Amino acid sequence: MRVIAHDLGGPLTGMNLTLQAIRRLAKSSSLHRLIDSVERDLTSATDLLEELKSLNRRETYRLQQLDVVAELNTVLSQMRAIPDLPISIDVAESKDRLTIAGDTSRLRRVWQNIVYNVMDASEAHKTTEPTRLAVIVKKSGRNARIQFSDNAGGIPTNRLPRIFEPFYTSKGGKNRGLGLFIARKIVTEHNGSIRIASKPPYTRITIDLPLIS
Amino acid sequence: MTKVAHTQFLDLEVDGKKSARKLLLVEDVESIQLAIRDFLFSRFDVQITSTAEQALMILAMSPDIELLITDIKLPEMNGFELGRLARRIRPNIHIIFITSYDVNEFIDVIREHGFTQVITKHGRMSLREIEVTVEKMLSGDIFGVKKYFPNLRELEISAETFPRTFANGTLYTIKISSLKQRSEVTDRIAIQLKTQKKAPEATIKLVLDEITSNAMFRAPVTDNGEYKYQTRNVQHDILQTHQDIVLDEEDCYQLQFGVFDEWIVLNCVDPHGRLTKKEILFRLHRHLTMDTKTGLPSGLHDSHGRGIFLLREQLSSLVFNIERGRQTEVMCLYNTIAAQAYKNISIYEIDHEQAPH
């Protein structure tokens, strides 16, 4: 992955820089409009690459003791504040104090990716039924278990096995299909596990993260 | 945008104008080589080559080349080795490295040779960044956010005139004169940026705390060389900051902040110029290298000095402008849209007492 990211980065950077030089030299406005349009495509390609590179950086994990419940509440309340949020989010939290060793910013990506997925699914599914996301946080053996259940349409059984693969998406062209791949990568790197089950229109994602005793 | 006359465009292959200052660009990827040259063409006389060997020959033959821009990965010889040899030929030459690799992996050699400018080639990289770096190095005029955002408006404010919302394109300057005022101002900035730009409050607060701590606790010293506003606790080898600090007039510093489209700028300017290139590279090195025995960062247990490393990790770009004994400016650029995986190193140090190297 590192090598691929690097090899793709070279030509993309070359194109981007060339475009900047052309922009400085170009005088006609129609030319500038064409440059704008190439630049937009290029930006979306390069942003994706930067994202992959960030994921693959070594030594960037900063583990600290985290209270899972507090963390989730912070993120979810931020997401609830999104204007015109198409879904409702409920949290049922554990009374136990669930402390794990985690990298805050990365784990936030996990929660966000899952919620975004539900939002996208809800928009694609378009039922009259309001979409609900229920988040349950509880202790399960030596793990903190976080369960995300939604009614946003579900996933056909034949697609489930591939759902964590990179670039796998059922959401059409504009999507990169990296959300759950990234989520699983981060969870695994925390020595945790992630599972998905679906029975349309319901989907449930279960994440276990080891507790610090 | 700079206007380029049509004739100049056609004359690209002809060696540049007589008045322009001379640069040498060493880059083996043709598209990047041409792009950088053509971008800088209207301002500088840029010679190009794709190998280190040729670069050294050109340097030996053209004594008026003042600045070298080189890729790190070159066929045969790497850019750092080229930089080292170039300094032998031309001790005062300015050097800018460009690379698409993770700079952190080269921190050993960067520190050893005191290299100060490494620019990461990435998708969103702007050629303006190279241009500004060249301008700053050649002119010695290193201070100010305006170099990065030429169209900004500047506005001096106080606690009473603190803006309710930050106008896009305006750089606000506030003078900080006490510990209490610092925490009030930094809180307000972090909260406002969170509301206005969805910037993570904790990150912004951390950045503001770090840059102001440097200006407030580390920069001011007495004539005897002792810290004025913190005391070393010898037993625990830690520095304890004083309570309820009110700064002497000569220790007050400026905090600048603003939003420029997707960018957030936070800049701290102190009137001491005590930070050094050497110290910055040392601190980065401590935190970027691993202790071979423990596999943990060498500097993990350092009692202080994590700030520079943390800042750099959080930001898109961290620039140090230092005029020794006169002024330090720590400039933080945070992009609210795109993350940047690999970070630059950017240190400008003017030391009137010493030769540049």
Side-chain angles (χ1 to χ4, degrees):
Chain A
M1 184 87 99
R2 256 174 107 76
V3 178
I4 292 172
H6 184 85
D7 289 351
L8 277 176
L12 283 177
T13 308
M15 282 190 261
N16 170 28
L17 299 189
T18 305
L19 209 56
Q20 291 181 40
I22 296 174
R23 186 187 284 286
R24 179 170 272 201
L25 297 171
K27 286 196 304 276
S28 93
S29 61
S30 56
L31 202 45
H32 274 276
R33 275 198 299 279
L34 290 174
I35 295 170
D36 288 343
S37 103
V38 178
E39 196 174 72
R40 274 194 296 275
D41 286 352
L42 205 51
T43 304
S44 71
T46 49
D47 283 357
L48 165 61
L49 194 68
E50 281 299 309
E51 205 170 309
L52 287 176
K53 270 174 21 188
S54 327
L55 278 172
N56 276 282
R57 277 187 70 188
R58 281 180 258 156
E59 307 157 24
T60 47
Y61 266 70
R62 269 195 297 280
L63 296 184
Q64 57 187 90
Q65 290 197 14
L66 296 178
D67 179 338
V68 181
V69 175
E71 265 300 303
L72 263 167
N73 274 322
T74 313
V75 177
L76 294 176
S77 64
Q78 273 172 10
M79 304 203 70
R80 281 202 201 94
I82 297 174
D84 305 321
L85 187 77
I87 60 173
S88 65
I89 306 176
D90 300 307
V91 185
E93 56 200 48
S94 150
K95 286 185 202 75
D96 299 313
R97 195 181 152 77
L98 304 173
T99 310
I100 59 158
D103 180 312
T104 312
S105 63
R106 288 187 185 232
L107 284 174
R108 285 187 181 180
R109 287 275 292 278
V110 175
W111 322 136
Q112 282 168 355
N113 284 356
I114 292 174
V115 178
Y116 284 139
N117 266 355
V118 177
M119 281 162 57
D120 289 345
S122 153
E123 275 171 18
H125 189 53
K126 285 199 184 89
T127 57
T128 46
E129 183 120 348
T131 304
R132 290 186 316 273
L133 170 64
V135 184
I136 300 171
V137 192
K138 62 184 177 191
K139 193 173 170 195
S140 162
R142 291 182 174 184
N143 292 314
R145 171 165 290 178
I146 306 113
Q147 254 173 4
F148 296 83
S149 311
D150 69 72
N151 62 340
I155 301 155
T157 321
N158 59 344
R159 291 195 165 181
L160 272 182
R162 296 191 58 200
I163 203 86
F164 290 113
E165 288 177 16
F167 306 107
Y168 186 79
T169 176
S170 53
K171 293 186 290 195
K174 74 168 185 145
N175 219 283
R176 291 169 184 160
L178 283 175
L180 286 179
F181 167 68
I182 288 171
R184 187 181 65 170
K185 183 170 161 64
I186 295 171
V187 168
T188 318
E189 282 168 345
H190 280 83
N191 294 323
S193 68
I194 182 168
R195 293 188 304 279
I196 190 162
S198 183
K199 184 179 171 198
Y202 304 104
T203 307
R204 188 169 68 207
I205 295 180
T206 308
I207 294 174
D208 283 340
L209 291 167
L211 290 165
I212 313 179
S213 43
Chain B
M1 187 158 308
T2 321
K3 286 194 179 119
V4 180
H6 194 55
T7 48
Q8 282 178 333
F9 178 55
L10 293 175
D11 283 347
L12 270 184
E13 293 305 318
V14 180
D15 259 358
K17 289 146 294 181
K18 291 211 167 56
S19 61
R21 300 178 80 164
K22 283 199 171 155
L23 325 179
L24 175 61
L25 167 65
V26 192
E27 164 67 66
D28 63 332
V29 179
E30 198 188 350
S31 61
I32 296 178
Q33 185 191 71
L34 292 178
I36 296 176
R37 185 197 61 175
D38 289 1
F39 192 84
L40 297 176
F41 166 76
S42 61
R43 311 279 310 280
F44 303 100
D45 177 353
V46 187
Q47 301 207 29
I48 48 176
T49 172
S50 52
T51 69
E53 202 172 51
Q54 267 195 9
L56 289 170
M57 271 168 56
I58 295 171
L59 279 176
M61 290 187 305
S62 327
D64 49 353
I65 290 176
E66 296 175 80
L67 190 145
L68 170 70
I69 304 175
T70 177
D71 194 1
I72 288 177
K73 184 174 164 285
L74 294 167
E76 295 164 33
M77 185 189 297
N78 75 44
F80 294 121
E81 185 65 9
L82 170 62
R84 201 177 61 80
L85 294 173
R87 276 184 181 168
R88 278 205 201 152
I89 303 174
R90 199 74 42 76
N92 291 329
I93 195 160
H94 299 285
I95 307 176
I96 301 171
F97 295 98
I98 48 180
T99 182
S100 43
Y101 288 88
D102 188 352
V103 181
N104 293 358
E105 299 186 3
F106 310 118
I107 191 69
D108 277 333
V109 60
I110 291 169
R111 179 181 166 232
E112 186 189 339
H113 296 293
F115 293 132
T116 53
Q117 302 293 338
V118 187
I119 299 178
T120 306
K121 287 189 270 185
H122 59 92
R124 277 182 173 262
M125 173 198 193
S126 159
L127 284 173
R128 267 290 293 161
E129 197 169 355
I130 295 184
E131 189 176 39
V132 171
T133 308
V134 171
E135 280 166 0
K136 286 176 71 168
M137 289 183 106
L138 288 182
S139 69
D141 175 11
I142 57 174
F143 293 106
V145 174
K146 199 155 190 144
K147 301 205 163 46
Y148 296 82
F149 300 91
N151 299 322
L152 68 81
R153 290 182 304 124
E154 294 190 62
L155 197 62
E156 280 195 31
I157 55 161
S158 64
E160 291 73 39
T161 57
F162 196 91
R164 275 172 176 276
T165 53
F166 301 163
N168 189 42
T170 299
L171 183 74
Y172 300 95
T173 303
I174 188 164
K175 178 177 151 185
I176 308 285
S177 54
S178 72
L179 192 58
K180 183 163 166 282
Q181 194 204 354
R182 164 179 100 147
S183 71
E184 283 165 8
V185 169
T186 52
D187 281 349
R188 286 178 84 168
I189 296 173
I191 289 167
Q192 183 55 31
L193 287 174
K194 181 186 167 194
T195 333
Q196 209 174 316
K197 301 296 284 181
K198 294 204 176 73
E201 192 181 335
T203 306
I204 299 295
K205 192 76 172 91
L206 176 118
V207 170
L208 288 168
D209 281 350
E210 283 301 335
I211 58 179
T212 52
S213 291
N214 179 62
M216 195 158 199
F217 306 126
R218 289 187 274 280
V221 290
T222 64
D223 294 339
N224 311 326
E226 281 163 18
Y227 289 118
K228 274 169 96 166
Y229 305 105
Q230 60 182 358
T231 309
R232 185 175 292 281
N233 179 328
V234 185
Q235 262 178 331
H236 301 286
D237 185 32
I238 51 170
L239 292 161
Q240 284 171 328
T241 56
H242 299 173
Q243 307 283 313
D244 307 323
I245 299 169
V246 176
L247 295 169
D248 292 339
E249 184 57 32
E250 72 262 26
D251 297 325
C252 292
Y253 58 92
Q254 288 184 325
L255 189 59
Q256 300 185 311
F257 55 94
V259 290
F260 303 87
D261 302 322
E262 79 258 39
W263 291 94
I264 290 173
V265 177
L266 304 167
N267 189 34
C268 189
V269 191
D270 78 58
H272 296 288
R274 297 233 325 140
L275 202 58
T276 63
K277 159 182 95 178
K278 202 173 156 192
E279 168 84 7
I280 296 165
L281 291 175
F282 171 71
R283 291 297 168 197
L284 283 180
H285 185 262
R286 292 286 294 167
H287 290 280
L288 290 175
T289 49
M290 290 290 157
D291 186 315
T292 43
K293 276 190 206 129
T294 60
L296 295 167
S298 318
L300 191 64
H301 299 296
D302 289 6
S303 56
H304 58 283
R306 284 186 77 206
I308 290 169
F309 163 76
L310 285 177
L311 275 179
R312 186 165 164 275
E313 287 294 307
Q314 303 294 335
L315 296 164
S316 312
S317 193
L318 172 65
V319 181
F320 296 94
N321 299 315
I322 305 156
E323 184 171 351
R324 296 284 297 278
R326 204 181 74 77
Q327 184 163 308
T328 300
E329 185 173 82
V330 183
M331 194 186 299
C332 307
L333 307 183
Y334 182 89
N335 191 309
T336 50
I337 297 179
Q340 186 177 327
Y342 301 159
K343 313 289 180 179
N344 294 348
I345 289 179
S346 188
I347 309 165
Y348 301 83
E349 182 187 80
I350 296 175
D351 189 349
H352 298 293
E353 316 236 308
Q354 271 178 25
H357 302 300

PDB file of all heavy atoms in Angstrom, chain B residues 197-214:
ATOM      1  N   LYS B 197     -15.405  27.344  11.933  1.00  0.00           N
ATOM      2  CA  LYS B 197     -14.740  26.512  10.933  1.00  0.00           C
ATOM      3  C   LYS B 197     -14.762  25.034  11.291  1.00  0.00           C
ATOM      4  O   LYS B 197     -14.073  24.227  10.678  1.00  0.00           O
ATOM      5  CB  LYS B 197     -13.281  26.963  10.754  1.00  0.00           C
ATOM      6  CG  LYS B 197     -13.092  28.407  10.313  1.00  0.00           C
ATOM      7  CD  LYS B 197     -13.650  28.697   8.928  1.00  0.00           C
ATOM      8  CE  LYS B 197     -12.755  28.169   7.825  1.00  0.00           C
ATOM      9  NZ  LYS B 197     -13.310  28.488   6.490  1.00  0.00           N
ATOM     10  N   LYS B 198     -15.515  24.657  12.332  1.00  0.00           N
ATOM     11  CA  LYS B 198     -15.564  23.274  12.792  1.00  0.00           C
ATOM     12  C   LYS B 198     -14.175  22.724  13.102  1.00  0.00           C
ATOM     13  O   LYS B 198     -13.904  21.535  12.941  1.00  0.00           O
ATOM     14  CB  LYS B 198     -16.238  22.368  11.757  1.00  0.00           C
ATOM     15  CG  LYS B 198     -17.704  22.683  11.546  1.00  0.00           C
ATOM     16  CD  LYS B 198     -18.442  21.452  11.011  1.00  0.00           C
ATOM     17  CE  LYS B 198     -19.928  21.695  10.877  1.00  0.00           C
ATOM     18  NZ  LYS B 198     -20.278  22.583   9.755  1.00  0.00           N
ATOM     19  N   ALA B 199     -13.288  23.598  13.529  1.00  0.00           N
ATOM     20  CA  ALA B 199     -11.941  23.146  13.868  1.00  0.00           C
ATOM     21  C   ALA B 199     -11.982  22.483  15.232  1.00  0.00           C
ATOM     22  O   ALA B 199     -12.678  22.952  16.124  1.00  0.00           O
ATOM     23  CB  ALA B 199     -10.986  24.330  13.893  1.00  0.00           C
ATOM     24  N   PRO B 200     -11.289  21.372  15.406  1.00  0.00           N
ATOM     25  CA  PRO B 200     -11.306  20.708  16.703  1.00  0.00           C
ATOM     26  C   PRO B 200     -10.742  21.618  17.789  1.00  0.00           C
ATOM     27  O   PRO B 200      -9.602  22.061  17.708  1.00  0.00           O
ATOM     28  CB  PRO B 200     -10.427  19.472  16.503  1.00  0.00           C
ATOM     29  CG  PRO B 200      -9.653  19.722  15.258  1.00  0.00           C
ATOM     30  CD  PRO B 200     -10.439  20.680  14.433  1.00  0.00           C
ATOM     31  N   GLU B 201     -11.573  21.881  18.781  1.00  0.00           N
ATOM     32  CA  GLU B 201     -11.226  22.859  19.807  1.00  0.00           C
ATOM     33  C   GLU B 201      -9.955  22.459  20.563  1.00  0.00           C
ATOM     34  O   GLU B 201      -9.081  23.287  20.813  1.00  0.00           O
ATOM     35  CB  GLU B 201     -12.397  22.973  20.783  1.00  0.00           C
ATOM     36  CG  GLU B 201     -12.298  24.139  21.723  1.00  0.00           C
ATOM     37  CD  GLU B 201     -13.495  24.170  22.690  1.00  0.00           C
ATOM     38  OE1 GLU B 201     -14.554  23.630  22.334  1.00  0.00           O
ATOM     39  OE2 GLU B 201     -13.330  24.729  23.783  1.00  0.00           O
ATOM     40  N   ALA B 202      -9.855  21.161  20.868  1.00  0.00           N
ATOM     41  CA  ALA B 202      -8.700  20.701  21.651  1.00  0.00           C
ATOM     42  C   ALA B 202      -7.398  20.910  20.876  1.00  0.00           C
ATOM     43  O   ALA B 202      -6.380  21.292  21.445  1.00  0.00           O
ATOM     44  CB  ALA B 202      -8.873  19.235  22.010  1.00  0.00           C
ATOM     45  N   THR B 203      -7.450  20.651  19.579  1.00  0.00           N
ATOM     46  CA  THR B 203      -6.249  20.825  18.759  1.00  0.00           C
ATOM     47  C   THR B 203      -5.830  22.284  18.715  1.00  0.00           C
ATOM     48  O   THR B 203      -4.669  22.630  18.922  1.00  0.00           O
ATOM     49  CB  THR B 203      -6.514  20.339  17.313  1.00  0.00           C
ATOM     50  OG1 THR B 203      -6.990  19.006  17.377  1.00  0.00           O
ATOM     51  CG2 THR B 203      -5.258  20.424  16.476  1.00  0.00           C
ATOM     52  N   ILE B 204      -6.788  23.150  18.442  1.00  0.00           N
ATOM     53  CA  ILE B 204      -6.481  24.579  18.357  1.00  0.00           C
ATOM     54  C   ILE B 204      -5.954  25.081  19.695  1.00  0.00           C
ATOM     55  O   ILE B 204      -4.977  25.826  19.761  1.00  0.00           O
ATOM     56  CB  ILE B 204      -7.738  25.379  17.950  1.00  0.00           C
ATOM     57  CG1 ILE B 204      -8.239  24.920  16.575  1.00  0.00           C
ATOM     58  CG2 ILE B 204      -7.465  26.881  17.954  1.00  0.00           C
ATOM     59  CD1 ILE B 204      -7.306  25.191  15.419  1.00  0.00           C
ATOM     60  N   LYS B 205      -6.567  24.609  20.767  1.00  0.00           N
ATOM     61  CA  LYS B 205      -6.130  25.033  22.096  1.00  0.00           C
ATOM     62  C   LYS B 205      -4.698  24.553  22.366  1.00  0.00           C
ATOM     63  O   LYS B 205      -3.869  25.299  22.874  1.00  0.00           O
ATOM     64  CB  LYS B 205      -7.102  24.443  23.139  1.00  0.00           C
ATOM     65  CG  LYS B 205      -6.943  25.014  24.527  1.00  0.00           C
ATOM     66  CD  LYS B 205      -7.539  26.409  24.661  1.00  0.00           C
ATOM     67  CE  LYS B 205      -7.536  26.861  26.113  1.00  0.00           C
ATOM     68  NZ  LYS B 205      -6.343  27.588  26.487  1.00  0.00           N
ATOM     69  N   LEU B 206      -4.437  23.323  21.987  1.00  0.00           N
ATOM     70  CA  LEU B 206      -3.088  22.782  22.173  1.00  0.00           C
ATOM     71  C   LEU B 206      -2.052  23.605  21.405  1.00  0.00           C
ATOM     72  O   LEU B 206      -1.005  23.973  21.933  1.00  0.00           O
ATOM     73  CB  LEU B 206      -3.038  21.330  21.702  1.00  0.00           C
ATOM     74  CG  LEU B 206      -1.661  20.671  21.751  1.00  0.00           C
ATOM     75  CD1 LEU B 206      -1.687  19.495  22.696  1.00  0.00           C
ATOM     76  CD2 LEU B 206      -1.159  20.212  20.408  1.00  0.00           C
ATOM     77  N   VAL B 207      -2.383  23.919  20.173  1.00  0.00           N
ATOM     78  CA  VAL B 207      -1.466  24.710  19.345  1.00  0.00           C
ATOM     79  C   VAL B 207      -1.229  26.083  19.983  1.00  0.00           C
ATOM     80  O   VAL B 207      -0.091  26.525  20.146  1.00  0.00           O
ATOM     81  CB  VAL B 207      -2.029  24.867  17.917  1.00  0.00           C
ATOM     82  CG1 VAL B 207      -1.222  25.889  17.121  1.00  0.00           C
ATOM     83  CG2 VAL B 207      -2.028  23.526  17.193  1.00  0.00           C
ATOM     84  N   LEU B 208      -2.319  26.728  20.385  1.00  0.00           N
ATOM     85  CA  LEU B 208      -2.186  28.058  20.993  1.00  0.00           C
ATOM     86  C   LEU B 208      -1.390  27.991  22.299  1.00  0.00           C
ATOM     87  O   LEU B 208      -0.540  28.843  22.568  1.00  0.00           O
ATOM     88  CB  LEU B 208      -3.572  28.654  21.253  1.00  0.00           C
ATOM     89  CG  LEU B 208      -4.337  29.112  20.012  1.00  0.00           C
ATOM     90  CD1 LEU B 208      -5.785  29.394  20.348  1.00  0.00           C
ATOM     91  CD2 LEU B 208      -3.682  30.346  19.393  1.00  0.00           C
ATOM     92  N   ASP B 209      -1.661  26.966  23.102  1.00  0.00           N
ATOM     93  CA  ASP B 209      -0.929  26.817  24.365  1.00  0.00           C
ATOM     94  C   ASP B 209       0.560  26.641  24.116  1.00  0.00           C
ATOM     95  O   ASP B 209       1.393  27.233  24.796  1.00  0.00           O
ATOM     96  CB  ASP B 209      -1.451  25.613  25.163  1.00  0.00           C
ATOM     97  CG  ASP B 209      -2.743  25.948  25.896  1.00  0.00           C
ATOM     98  OD1 ASP B 209      -3.096  27.144  25.927  1.00  0.00           O
ATOM     99  OD2 ASP B 209      -3.387  25.029  26.414  1.00  0.00           O
ATOM    100  N   GLU B 210       0.888  25.813  23.132  1.00  0.00           N
ATOM    101  CA  GLU B 210       2.301  25.543  22.864  1.00  0.00           C
ATOM    102  C   GLU B 210       3.032  26.794  22.374  1.00  0.00           C
ATOM    103  O   GLU B 210       4.113  27.112  22.845  1.00  0.00           O
ATOM    104  CB  GLU B 210       2.453  24.417  21.837  1.00  0.00           C
ATOM    105  CG  GLU B 210       2.222  23.033  22.408  1.00  0.00           C
ATOM    106  CD  GLU B 210       3.168  22.690  23.548  1.00  0.00           C
ATOM    107  OE1 GLU B 210       4.282  23.262  23.610  1.00  0.00           O
ATOM    108  OE2 GLU B 210       2.786  21.863  24.396  1.00  0.00           O
ATOM    109  N   ILE B 211       2.458  27.472  21.394  1.00  0.00           N
ATOM    110  CA  ILE B 211       3.196  28.612  20.839  1.00  0.00           C
ATOM    111  C   ILE B 211       3.289  29.762  21.835  1.00  0.00           C
ATOM    112  O   ILE B 211       4.309  30.428  21.922  1.00  0.00           O
ATOM    113  CB  ILE B 211       2.633  29.101  19.468  1.00  0.00           C
ATOM    114  CG1 ILE B 211       1.173  29.507  19.549  1.00  0.00           C
ATOM    115  CG2 ILE B 211       2.835  28.050  18.403  1.00  0.00           C
ATOM    116  CD1 ILE B 211       0.608  30.013  18.223  1.00  0.00           C
ATOM    117  N   THR B 212       2.235  29.935  22.648  1.00  0.00           N
ATOM    118  CA  THR B 212       2.318  31.018  23.625  1.00  0.00           C
ATOM    119  C   THR B 212       3.222  30.635  24.795  1.00  0.00           C
ATOM    120  O   THR B 212       3.887  31.488  25.366  1.00  0.00           O
ATOM    121  CB  THR B 212       0.927  31.413  24.147  1.00  0.00           C
ATOM    122  OG1 THR B 212       0.251  30.237  24.594  1.00  0.00           O
ATOM    123  CG2 THR B 212       0.104  32.093  23.080  1.00  0.00           C
ATOM    124  N   SER B 213       3.284  29.337  25.123  1.00  0.00           N
ATOM    125  CA  SER B 213       4.186  28.917  26.195  1.00  0.00           C
ATOM    126  C   SER B 213       5.624  29.227  25.825  1.00  0.00           C
ATOM    127  O   SER B 213       6.421  29.652  26.656  1.00  0.00           O
ATOM    128  CB  SER B 213       4.063  27.416  26.466  1.00  0.00           C
ATOM    129  OG  SER B 213       2.814  27.146  27.027  1.00  0.00           O
ATOM    130  N   ASN B 214       5.953  28.971  24.583  1.00  0.00           N
ATOM    131  CA  ASN B 214       7.308  29.275  24.141  1.00  0.00           C
ATOM    132  C   ASN B 214       7.603  30.764  24.316  1.00  0.00           C
ATOM    133  O   ASN B 214       8.647  31.147  24.825  1.00  0.00           O
ATOM    134  CB  ASN B 214       7.487  28.861  22.677  1.00  0.00           C
ATOM    135  CG  ASN B 214       8.883  29.192  22.188  1.00  0.00           C
ATOM    136  OD1 ASN B 214       9.867  28.678  22.706  1.00  0.00           O
ATOM    137  ND2 ASN B 214       8.972  30.092  21.233  1.00  0.00           N
TER     138      ASN B 214
END
